[in-house]
Amino acid sequence: MRGSLRGTRLAAVLASVLLLFGTATACGSGEDSGTDDGKPAASGGAFPVTIAHKYGTTTVKSEPKRIVTVGLTDQDAVLALGKVPVGTTEWNGGYKGAIGPWARDELGDAETPTVLKDTGTGPQTEKIAALRPDLILAVYGGLAKEQYETLSKFAPVVAQPKEYNDFGVPWQRQTEIIGTALGQQTKAKELVKGVQADFKAATAEHPAFAGADAVMATPYDGIFVFGSQDPRSRVLTDLGFTLPADLDKVIGDEFGANISKERTDLLDTDAIVWIVADPAEDEAKLGKNPLYADLKVAQQDREVYVKESSDYGNAISFVTVLSLPYTLDRLVPQLAAAVDGKPATKVTQPAS
């Protein structure tokens, strides 16, 4: 797997059980209260706001000016809400400031954020402290409690919500949580409604999506499939597709897993989205795998191939309020071709 699917994401998940060491002096703090209902709550105007998460609750007392995003895709919601982070965390794409092409208009002429790294050992504590943050966002992330406590010495930290797997928060909740932290609950809801309208338009235009089943996968160490808790799979279900019935039972309580040869049947869906290094090469390799090549999804060319290192491939893994319109413009026509009931219809690559 490359960046979006292999290194950082998997390393970050593993890193959630590691400790983060730091020698920091306090310059801000999150405040824990006795309630933790999993929902953001505001008291008295825009601020202060109190947000529940995996490790309790955090109170943001006033409008944040210097925001650092530790969550791997949190910068998109911040930008969509009219703020520019002073620091972002690099995940995939290698983009300047960790800002993808789908978010550049929102960045505009503002100063490009400082890019932080997470190589699997946790956030870069000293570099985060040097940015003098007054809010640290780790919503789409997997902070360990020790990491959360260390970062809380610098500023209020909004960690991942407890009701989802690490790295499993839906883009709608991510946007709403960050909107609350920035005192922009109403705008966040409007942004969510706007993207949901894009999904509704796509499903209305393509009724064949409803009731069809689909799955996202990648040929990593065999075949790796994404489960229902992964944001990528939710793109399919939001478009009306269903996931294979036994998918979560097979992969367990994870965002995805490699499947055994005996469970290749999970791939025999009405459409399959392959996230691959090279569409042409990987399609040829999969065609030589007799267990896969004998499935109807392969024989009837109901496959969508997405180059993981392309802007499109990066966007399909980001799954944010800004990346989703970019993704849908490319993915929906491919899925429509895959499920039109005509094997002769070729699923073409988007122009850009």
Side-chain angles (χ1 to χ4, degrees):
M1 277 177 150
R2 290 174 57 87
S4 63
L5 302 171
R6 303 179 187 178
T8 307
R9 169 79 180 266
L10 295 174
V13 173
L14 294 174
S16 67
V17 299
L18 300 177
L19 302 183
L20 178 66
F21 298 100
T23 57
T25 58
C27 62
S29 65
E31 295 184 358
D32 288 345
S33 71
T35 61
D36 187 3
D37 60 3
K39 298 179 181 180
S43 58
F47 294 98
V49 293
T50 299
I51 301 170
H53 51 73
K54 186 173 183 178
Y55 302 118
T57 61
T58 293
T59 296
V60 183
K61 296 180 179 179
S62 59
E63 181 180 359
K65 306 293 185 183
R66 298 184 62 80
I67 304 162
V68 170
T69 58
V70 172
L72 301 183
T73 65
D74 290 351
Q75 63 267 37
D76 279 10
V78 175
L79 289 163
L81 290 162
K83 298 278 190 178
V84 177
V86 295
T88 55
T89 299
E90 185 175 76
W91 179 24
N92 61 3
Y95 300 117
K96 185 177 180 180
I99 306 298
W102 51 86
R104 286 177 189 150
D105 287 347
E106 283 71 18
L107 177 63
D109 296 329
E111 184 176 351
T112 303
T114 297
V115 176
L116 306 163
K117 307 282 186 179
D118 184 344
T119 59
T121 58
Q124 293 178 299
T125 309
E126 293 183 0
K127 290 186 177 181
I128 292 172
L131 291 172
R132 297 179 289 106
D134 53 17
L135 177 65
I136 299 172
L137 295 171
V139 181
Y140 182 76
L143 283 184
K145 186 174 183 180
E146 294 82 1
Q147 296 170 340
Y148 166 75
E149 291 173 346
T150 298
L151 291 176
S152 293
K153 297 177 182 179
F154 310 138
V157 179
V158 180
Q160 66 269 31
K162 70 174 184 178
E163 63 266 37
Y164 304 103
N165 291 350
D166 290 355
F167 301 99
V169 60
W171 65 270
Q172 299 96 321
R173 287 286 291 124
Q174 176 191 37
T175 306
E176 291 170 355
I177 290 169
I178 293 174
T180 298
L182 302 186
Q184 298 189 50
Q185 297 95 323
T186 299
K187 184 174 181 180
K189 290 179 180 179
E190 291 173 352
L191 289 168
V192 169
K193 287 181 181 179
V195 178
Q196 287 176 330
D198 292 340
F199 276 99
K200 289 179 181 179
T203 56
E205 186 177 354
H206 302 286
F209 292 174
D213 56 359
V215 68
M216 284 205 185
T218 185
Y220 168 65
D221 281 353
I223 293 176
F224 186 100
V225 295
F226 297 98
S228 66
Q229 289 294 307
D230 188 84
R232 279 164 283 227
S233 293
R234 291 196 188 103
V235 173
L236 296 176
T237 56
D238 285 348
L239 284 169
F241 290 92
T242 58
L243 302 177
D246 291 342
L247 181 61
D248 284 351
K249 181 179 179 180
V250 170
I251 68 175
D253 188 27
E254 302 290 344
F255 69 86
N258 287 96
I259 58 173
S260 65
K261 294 179 180 179
E262 290 76 19
R263 292 317 311 261
T264 309
D265 62 291
L266 290 171
L267 305 176
D268 204 10
T269 51
D270 294 310
I272 182 169
V273 180
W274 285 105
I275 304 176
V276 298
D278 183 281
E281 290 183 7
D282 283 286
E283 182 177 8
K285 290 177 183 177
L286 285 164
K288 295 177 182 178
N289 180 342
L291 292 176
Y292 175 71
D294 287 342
L295 300 178
K296 289 182 180 179
V297 68
Q299 293 178 348
Q300 297 180 8
D301 293 325
R302 300 198 300 261
E303 306 152 298
V304 172
Y305 286 91
V306 179
K307 185 175 182 179
E308 63 180 1
S309 62
S310 66
D311 290 340
Y312 174 29
N314 292 325
I316 209 170
S317 290
F318 248 69
V319 193
T320 66
V321 69
L322 290 182
S323 72
L324 278 167
Y326 184 98
T327 295
L328 293 178
D329 284 346
R330 293 155 178 77
L331 179 62
V332 168
Q334 290 183 302
L335 288 171
V339 300
D340 71 349
K342 303 174 183 177
T345 302
K346 184 174 178 58
V347 180
T348 59
Q349 292 295 313
S352 62

